[in-house]
Amino acid sequence: MDDKKIIEQFFNRDEQALCAVKERYGRAIFSLAHSLLKNAQDAEEALSDTLLALWNCIPPNMPQQFLGFALKITRNLSLKKLREKGAARRGGGELTSALFELEECISDGKTIDEALENRALSEIIDSFLRSLEKDERNIFILRYFYLCSVSDIAQRLSFSKSKIKTQLFRTRQKLSIKLEKEGVVL
């Protein structure tokens, strides 16, 4: 079943939409939750919570990219769960480490969560990501969206850890320059 039909089922309040989402995207949702939470039981719970959140927000929302919409919900729910349980204790501190790295680029006295929720900032970052080369963009997204460790990224993309670290450093510098040009207060 395609995304359009799934969304239509949500709008018709047909519970089969939940089964369709789980069948089509359950593995991706579980995988993202598990990579953040490092616990299969918590990841299953995040999958269920994502399905409930989708049920509650469609309608009125009409997502253009259904998988991206669902993964954003999963990520936010997983991060909330990590915060509740203590990020350093569970997940090896990758959440804290990754967000700390980004705070060098995005910091105006607010928390990183508040800054990222700003719609204009999101649009600038989206534009910035579209301007990057494929490998550079993948590394950035794996680190700062999926919160993968440098070692995991290096292994996944068959690059050295030093290449990944250097690429992340350079990309953060580019982002910082882009934000300054766009008038985002650092």
Side-chain angles (χ1 to χ4, degrees):
M1 179 177 307
D2 69 6
D3 292 352
K4 202 174 202 178
K5 289 181 183 177
I6 292 172
I7 293 169
E8 187 178 305
Q9 285 182 323
F10 276 108
F11 270 86
N12 292 332
R13 304 316 284 165
D14 182 352
E15 292 180 15
Q16 290 301 311
L18 299 173
C19 294
V21 171
K22 191 169 184 178
E23 181 179 316
R24 184 162 185 183
Y25 297 121
R27 182 175 284 170
I29 292 169
F30 177 88
S31 178
L32 173 59
H34 192 268
S35 74
L36 296 172
L37 298 169
K38 309 292 187 211
N39 180 295
Q41 185 176 359
D42 288 346
E44 269 302 323
E45 188 176 319
L47 172 60
S48 296
D49 290 346
T50 299
L51 293 173
L52 177 62
L54 287 168
W55 183 261
N56 289 333
C57 70
I58 304 174
N61 292 307
M62 173 80 102
Q64 298 298 315
Q65 298 290 326
F66 188 82
L67 179 59
F69 185 77
L71 289 177
K72 184 174 181 180
I73 290 171
T74 303
R75 182 178 184 273
N76 291 340
L77 290 170
S78 297
L79 292 176
K80 182 179 178 187
K81 188 173 209 59
L82 273 176
R83 270 187 232 102
E84 290 170 358
K85 292 191 174 193
R89 203 179 54 211
R90 301 190 72 213
E94 286 303 321
L95 168 66
T96 304
S97 178
L99 292 182
F100 178 74
E101 290 169 9
L102 271 183
E103 282 179 344
E104 294 173 7
C105 299
I106 307 169
S107 182
D108 61 358
K110 297 179 181 178
T111 67
I112 189 71
D113 292 331
E114 290 170 336
L116 289 176
E117 288 175 6
N118 180 317
R119 178 165 285 179
L121 180 59
S122 295
E123 290 173 7
I124 292 167
I125 292 172
D126 285 346
S127 168
F128 170 73
L129 289 173
R130 284 191 297 274
S131 74
L132 298 176
E133 296 292 325
K134 183 180 177 185
D135 284 340
E136 192 176 11
R137 181 176 49 248
N138 287 340
I139 290 168
F140 192 86
I141 290 171
L142 284 169
R143 178 68 176 152
Y144 300 116
F145 184 82
Y146 292 105
L147 301 174
C148 294
S149 69
V150 171
S151 299
D152 290 343
I153 297 169
Q155 183 178 9
R156 180 179 282 185
L157 299 178
S158 300
F159 293 136
S160 69
K161 287 187 208 176
S162 63
K163 178 178 172 95
I164 299 299
K165 287 179 185 178
T166 301
Q167 189 66 60
L168 287 168
F169 177 77
R170 289 179 180 160
T171 306
R172 286 193 310 272
Q173 285 182 321
K174 288 179 187 177
L175 175 59
S176 188
I177 291 167
K178 171 81 171 172
L179 292 173
E180 285 178 24
K181 283 182 181 176
E182 296 291 332
V184 175
V185 179
L186 302 178

